[in-house]
Amino acid sequence: MAVFSTRPQPALPFNGPVSHKNQFETRLRVQNLSVGYDQEEIVKGVDFFAIKGGITVLVGPNGCGKSTLLKAMARILTPMAGQVLIDNELLHGLPTKEVALRLALLPQGPIAPEGLSVQELVSQGRFPHQSLFRQWSPEDSRAVSEAMKATNIVEFANRPLASLSGGQRQRCWIAMVLAQETPIILLDEPTTFLDLKVQVDVMNVLRKVAKSGRTLVVVMHELNIAAAIADHLVMMRDGRIVASGTPHETMTRDRLKQVFGLDAQVIPDPQTGRPICVPRLSESL
Amino acid sequence: MTRGFAIMPLVLAALALGFCWHIAVGAKSVPLVTVFEALTNYDQSIFDHAVIYNLRLPRAIFAVVAGASLSVAGALMQGITRNPLADPGILGLMIGASFAVVMTFGYFSFSQVAFMPLVAAGGALVAAVLVWGIALAAPGGATPLTLVLSGAAISTFLGAIITMVHLLDEDSYIEMRVWLTGSLTGARMDILYWALPWVVGGMALALTLARQVTALAMGEDTANGLGVDVVRLKSLAMISVVVLTGSAVSIVGPLGFIGLVIPHVVRLFVGADYRLIVPYSAAVGALYLLLIDIVARIVLAPIEISTGIVTAMLGGPFFVWLVRARL
């Protein structure tokens, strides 16, 4: 079957205007995917790929299906139609544990059991690398300590997670998925409910991770931060991908109007040249 | 993790001591030294040794097996449902097991006790499925609240049927009434023999699942992302829980609160890792039931209170504390 071939496949056309179609390698690809809950289809025939060693950000209004798409890529939801390919293999045909060695997921608003220390939480990331007969190894310790250094949480190691602030806690969760040491990491709204400074801290951690060669797919709400860190920005609306490309290509005034119904000006960041969206307030009150 | 096992020798020493003390206490109290002697160097010509072997030792073993089984069952249930109130008693498994035993062995006078642990486990399973089913059908799904409510509904319903059966059939009432309060008095050695392999199997299963239960405690999506097959884990944990509950109920009858209280106490000391919670719950649950049974036998001596009544009397206030502190 073609899907099992190891030869790189040609990139597929997108629903919207396409840029860098063949410029990037990918390890995670979605083809004609429809997925949802019960009988309701939320993501409708989507084609998508994540850039290898880069940050792909999914944005869109509430209920547009971005989290649902992420869950299908994390193998939590089973496709109604279409497929998810990881390294050109069918994701939903792989055993759960095999998937967990290639792809890590930070779900939205994760919950920690009471009494769990930061170190213990991060150590959970080693789960797929262990088994009943292969318990904790020096390799596990190395991965955990590297993940904690990368997220700057070494000082909290022995504190209970519950005693930390929201931003610190989120860094601990990110450390957990880093410790999993997978080439692909999916994050569902890692910055929601954090204040701006902390959002930026979290994003800096993610940039560092991407720079180390891992593939990141991030669902988020904050458009300006998305534009600032994305290598590949994908906009969704009503279960379909409306636009995808570099932030420059996707974040335009017309598109914001079309996707979010938002009246906004888009200006370039004076330092980086990345687009910034400045919403216009209604003049008639 | 290895650090977490540091206090295990202490707990086991306390368990050994509690075990001997439990044997020493009774209508005729025996010095601890004699208990040690009887256990290490049995001499059948000594009267105390005979009493210890024939009467006291079995009872201590019942307490250890039932206490360990129920608290491990409770710990697993709390872990997989992420519900601090999960317990074989509260979620209806215990009354399901009791109901199955009362109907089969009391009302229909089936007499093959070899099947008692299985019958009890079957009853627990049916009750668990009913409780989960009702909770899932409620708006909002199987939340801690809907689970506890549907557990209460099933418990009340099955309890009413048990009472009705007893009103109609006095013989079965007389046969079952002590057992139904949860008592170590009437426990039988032959049932223990039949239950023991199930207990060992259930415990082994619980220990092998412990690592995955810790991951599941962080939510299904997170556990999934870490490579836990959630459906498989829940099914296996359910098997372990009903087998342990069924075995314990067939030996000592429905003993409430142990499965609820002990895992919480254990968590205070060893944290949230089920690789520690499961073995510690087993040891502490065994110790707890030994102590409870000592209390049951000495507070109103020479009258003996049913063990189940004592666990409920001590467990009730703890339950209140738990509701105030955790929910």
Side-chain angles (χ1 to χ4, degrees):
Chain A
M1 237 171 93
V3 288
F4 291 114
S5 109
T6 47
R7 261 173 290 126
Q9 308 207 330
L12 284 130
F14 282 94
N15 299 359
V18 182
S19 65
H20 49 229
K21 202 192 256 179
N22 290 313
Q23 286 167 282
F24 294 99
E25 281 185 86
T26 180
R27 306 187 65 160
L28 184 65
R29 177 185 297 281
V30 163
Q31 291 176 335
N32 192 26
L33 182 80
S34 295
V35 65
Y37 300 93
D38 298 323
Q39 295 306 309
E40 202 195 340
E41 199 179 87
I42 297 184
V43 170
K44 298 156 187 161
V46 159
D47 291 311
F48 170 88
F49 70 89
I51 293 174
K52 187 178 176 182
I55 302 180
T56 301
V57 180
L58 274 166
V59 295
N62 291 330
C64 70
K66 53 194 191 304
S67 285
T68 308
L69 174 58
L70 199 78
K71 280 184 183 167
M73 292 193 282
R75 205 175 170 278
I76 288 172
L77 296 176
T78 308
M80 295 164 167
Q83 55 205 19
V84 180
L85 299 175
I86 182 165
D87 299 328
N88 291 315
E89 279 185 87
L90 264 183
L91 177 83
H92 288 83
L94 294 170
T96 319
K97 208 162 172 178
E98 175 61 35
V99 172
L101 288 171
R102 302 193 199 179
L103 181 151
L105 167 75
L106 179 59
Q108 199 172 330
I111 29 162
E114 228 168 305
L116 201 70
S117 75
V118 169
Q119 170 108 39
E120 285 171 324
L121 175 78
V122 179
S123 302
Q124 288 298 318
R126 299 305 292 167
F127 183 92
H129 298 269
Q130 298 170 331
S131 70
L132 204 55
F133 305 105
R134 195 193 151 296
Q135 299 278 345
W136 198 252
S137 72
E139 180 65 13
D140 294 327
S141 302
R142 181 202 51 76
V144 167
S145 96
E146 274 178 20
M148 291 179 66
K149 271 185 214 137
T151 48
N152 224 341
I153 55 167
V154 179
E155 55 183 308
F156 310 128
N158 293 314
R159 295 211 359 220
L161 199 69
S163 70
L164 304 181
S165 73
Q168 292 165 338
R169 231 178 295 164
Q170 194 60 305
R171 295 214 304 270
C172 297
W173 284 105
I174 292 173
M176 183 191 86
V177 294
L178 290 186
Q180 208 170 328
E181 298 207 312
T182 54
I184 303 168
I185 302 176
L186 312 178
L187 302 106
D188 197 354
E189 300 198 17
T191 54
T192 306
F193 305 122
L194 300 178
D195 62 48
L196 190 56
K197 157 81 171 85
V198 178
Q199 290 187 30
V200 172
D201 288 346
V202 168
M203 285 305 146
N204 279 329
V205 170
L206 296 185
R207 277 173 63 204
K208 201 157 64 172
V209 173
K211 222 176 156 191
S212 72
R214 302 207 222 180
T215 300
L216 266 58
V217 181
V218 189
V219 165
M220 57 194 288
H221 272 295
E222 181 49 57
L223 284 174
N224 286 332
I225 292 188
I229 70 153
D231 296 305
H232 184 56
L233 184 64
V234 177
M235 286 189 182
M236 286 184 74
R237 188 192 164 101
D238 299 330
R240 292 176 209 282
I241 289 179
V242 179
S244 96
T246 64
H248 278 290
E249 292 163 326
T250 37
M251 207 155 103
T252 60
R253 189 177 175 154
D254 292 344
R255 197 92 69 203
L256 290 175
K257 183 90 194 162
Q258 178 199 356
V259 174
F260 294 93
L262 178 72
D263 191 9
Q265 225 176 349
V266 176
I267 54 171
D269 179 324
Q271 258 189 329
T272 64
R274 295 221 176 209
I276 300 176
C277 117
V278 184
R280 289 248 191 100
L281 297 178
S282 161
E283 276 168 23
S284 60
L285 277 177
Chain B
M1 175 66 195
T2 39
R3 191 171 39 103
F5 278 113
I7 47 172
M8 198 47 142
L10 211 70
V11 175
L12 290 179
L15 180 59
L17 202 67
F19 191 77
C20 293
W21 186 27
H22 181 272
I23 292 174
V25 169
K28 173 184 185 297
S29 69
V30 179
L32 271 179
V33 183
T34 317
V35 175
F36 280 122
E37 267 174 27
L39 292 178
T40 52
N41 188 16
Y42 177 59
D43 181 349
Q44 59 176 17
S45 64
I46 300 173
F47 178 68
D48 279 350
H49 284 199
V51 168
I52 286 168
Y53 258 80
N54 298 325
L55 300 171
R56 305 266 175 99
L57 183 61
R59 184 168 180 149
I61 296 174
F62 297 146
V64 167
V65 172
S69 303
L70 289 174
S71 45
V72 169
L76 275 190
M77 288 178 77
Q78 287 164 17
I80 58 166
T81 60
R82 293 187 302 284
N83 178 352
L85 288 178
D87 153 84
I90 292 177
L91 296 193
L93 276 72
M94 214 168 255
I95 194 90
S98 310
F99 177 75
V101 170
V102 166
M103 291 310 279
T104 320
F105 293 88
Y107 192 68
F108 292 111
S109 307
F110 185 65
S111 60
Q112 297 291 316
V113 290
F115 294 100
M116 204 191 250
L118 268 186
V119 167
L125 180 63
V126 171
V129 169
L130 278 175
V131 167
W132 255 268
I134 294 172
L136 277 176
T143 62
L145 182 68
T146 56
L147 278 172
V148 170
L149 285 177
S150 65
I154 291 290
S155 297
T156 312
F157 180 70
L158 292 180
I161 298 184
I162 292 176
T163 310
M164 193 175 77
V165 168
H166 283 160
L167 286 175
L168 295 173
D169 180 357
E170 207 175 330
D171 290 345
S172 112
Y173 171 66
I174 289 166
E175 202 176 313
M176 292 285 179
R177 69 186 176 130
V178 178
W179 181 84
L180 267 178
T181 58
S183 167
L184 291 147
T185 318
R188 287 162 50 177
M189 208 60 193
D190 54 344
I191 298 177
L192 177 80
Y193 286 136
W194 290 112
L196 212 48
W198 294 106
V199 171
V200 171
M203 287 281 176
L205 186 55
L207 283 169
T208 58
L209 296 177
R211 203 169 65 92
Q212 303 181 53
V213 176
T214 312
L216 188 60
M218 299 189 296
E220 284 185 26
D221 288 355
T222 309
N224 214 314
L226 289 172
V228 176
D229 187 335
V230 174
V231 174
R232 182 170 163 273
L233 170 61
K234 284 188 166 178
S235 316
L236 289 175
M238 178 73 107
I239 291 173
S240 173
V241 165
V242 299
V243 163
L244 289 172
T245 305
S247 305
V249 168
S250 66
I251 301 168
V252 298
L255 269 181
F257 288 108
I258 295 177
L260 177 73
V261 173
I262 301 302
H264 284 291
V265 173
V266 166
R267 255 183 227 110
L268 288 179
F269 292 97
V270 305
D273 189 341
Y274 277 84
R275 284 176 300 178
L276 296 172
I277 294 174
V278 169
Y280 274 104
S281 290
V284 175
L287 176 62
Y288 177 78
L289 191 50
L290 284 169
L291 298 179
I292 287 287
D293 196 42
I294 292 171
V295 172
R297 286 186 300 158
I298 59 177
V299 276
L300 289 179
I303 303 168
E304 199 175 284
I305 316 171
S306 201
T307 325
I309 294 170
V310 180
T311 52
M313 280 165 80
L314 294 181
F318 179 82
F319 189 78
V320 173
W321 171 80
L322 190 71
V323 169
R324 289 179 61 101
R326 304 260 181 139
L327 293 178

